[in-house]
Structure formats: C-alpha cells, structure tokens
Amino acid sequence: MKALILVDLQNDFLPTGALPVPRGDEVIVVANRVMPRFPLIVATQDWHPANHGSFAANHPGRKPGELAELGGLPQVMWPVHCVAHTNGAEFAPGLDTRHLAEVVPKGTDPAMDSYSGFFDNGHRKATGLGDYLRAHSVTDVYMLGLATDYCVKATALDARQLGFATHLVLDGCRGVELAPGDIDRAVAEMRAAGVRVLGSDEVPAAN
Ligand code: VGL
Ligand code: ZN
C-alpha cells in the first residue's frame, strides 16, 4: 500500500507568508496533480502555540535566522509562523484538501520544535503518523512539500528510519536555503539514507 504525505503546505510558507519559502507556491499544483494517484493521502501541519520556543520573538535579543538552543538541541530562530488556528497555519489556497484522510499537527509543544511529521526534533514523542500508516498497511511513502531542507528532510529521514520505502517527489518541494547549498545538501542526505528521488511525472498511476 502506498501513501502520499503532503508536508506543511501552509500559508505562512508561501512567498507571501511569515516564513516565506522561495517559489513555495509552485508546489501546490504538483500536489493536486499527483493526489489522484494515491489511495491514501495525509498532510502535516506546522501548528505552533504563540509562545513557541522556535520563534525569535520569544527570546529577547534574538533575531530570525540566528542559531540558539531549544530543549537541549540547536535551534534556528524563526519568525512567528503557523500559529495554531490563524490564517498563516491554514492550508494554502488552491490545495485540494477533499481527499485528505488525516491531518497531523506538529510543533505543538512550546519547548520543542518538530520538523518531522513523525517525531519531534529530539525524537522524544511520536505524532502517531507512523502508527497510522502501519495500521493502514502502508509500505511505501511518497512525499512532497515545504521546506525541502527542514520539514521534508526530517520527515523523509524518519520515514526511512521507521522502515518505509521512501520516495521524494523533488519538483513538489521547495526549500528555505538559509545558506546557499542547503537544498542540495538536504537532497544528498536523503539519498544517502536510502530515499529514492523522483519527479512527479514518474509517480505511478493508481492501480
Ligand atoms: C518548517 C521551519 C520552521 C518547515 C517549519 O515546514 O520546513 N521550517 N518550521
Ligand atoms: Zn515551525
């Protein structure tokens, strides 16, 4: 059984959002195009409380883009983004959400960030997505979304670690690229972990 994971296709990651991913808007049509090829589709949502520790604004003197610490881990300081129940956290307009079987919130604990859709960054708590996929006999996960160098990468690496055959739909992803080369390095890291990288035109039709 195959599943499609749509990673953080939310307003705040679009070019007009609070944490803009360059050309992030271009992946929405890719998501809509491949969805009909999957029997099971799930989506993650970055879903932070206003007091989240990844927000520079919650650390006096810190600016977005700086490196600090959260929950004992190195933590990039981000602009306030994807605050639960705000417009910025909503799915991108134009995304066809009718066939989402499950929406997985992450990053809800103010004291820990969660890039992956499976676990927080400290691998201390699971979101339930792994159990959900196993309960549905999923063996293969395909994924696309935002951002390649953060949440997509973390979700793909965890999927591999959980034993799923993991496929990255590269033209359905865009990255933040805080430092030049971050996207290429993220893709290389995923490949090295056994993630198969493909184009949306190579995603097999539903069978
Ligand atoms: C993300 C930074 C902070 C992402 C989420 O979705 O890649 N990046 N929160
Ligand atoms: Zn976030």
Side-chain angles (χ1 to χ4, degrees):
M1 172 89 159
K2 291 186 306 184
L4 176 65
I5 305 176
L6 303 176
V7 179
D8 297 3
L9 296 178
Q10 294 167 269
N11 285 331
D12 271 343
F13 299 125
L14 301 181
T16 51
L19 202 173
V21 178
R23 298 165 60 204
D25 53 329
E26 295 175 0
V27 308
I28 306 304
V29 289
V30 181
N32 289 342
R33 195 189 314 134
V34 299
M35 273 195 264
R37 304 180 207 169
F38 289 89
L40 183 67
I41 308 164
V42 301
T44 65
Q45 279 188 325
D46 214 32
W47 199 253
H48 297 309
N51 66 345
H52 197 259
S54 75
F55 298 164
N58 292 327
H59 302 266
R62 293 289 186 187
K63 289 196 200 68
E66 290 180 4
L67 196 63
E69 206 189 271
L70 184 64
L73 301 172
Q75 173 70 52
V76 176
M77 295 283 95
W78 298 110
V80 174
H81 66 278
C82 294
V83 174
H85 307 290
T86 65
N87 178 260
E90 293 302 313
F91 285 121
L95 179 69
D96 182 0
T97 58
R98 289 172 302 167
H99 306 294
L100 299 182
E102 189 79 357
V103 176
V104 180
K106 63 184 181 62
T108 56
D109 178 351
M112 178 63 73
D113 211 353
S114 187
Y115 292 150
S116 162
F118 292 98
F119 298 97
D120 63 66
N121 290 1
H123 274 231
R124 289 167 203 167
K125 275 193 204 139
T127 60
L129 177 57
D131 289 340
Y132 177 88
L133 295 173
R134 285 199 181 116
H136 288 82
S137 307
V138 170
T139 53
D140 282 65
V141 296
Y142 287 70
M143 66 184 70
L144 62 81
L146 307 171
T148 318
D149 37 358
Y150 290 94
C151 292
V152 174
K153 179 179 92 169
T155 303
L157 294 179
D158 278 348
R160 280 297 301 139
Q161 219 170 73
L162 289 170
F164 296 104
T166 307
H167 311 263
L168 178 75
V169 182
L170 190 59
D171 56 317
C173 300
R174 295 291 185 277
V176 177
E177 193 100 326
L178 269 186
D182 278 356
I183 295 173
D184 286 348
R185 277 188 291 273
V187 173
E189 207 180 317
M190 288 186 266
R191 281 188 203 273
V195 175
R196 171 189 170 224
V197 179
L198 75 167
S200 58
D201 56 328
E202 299 173 278
V203 175
N207 43 13

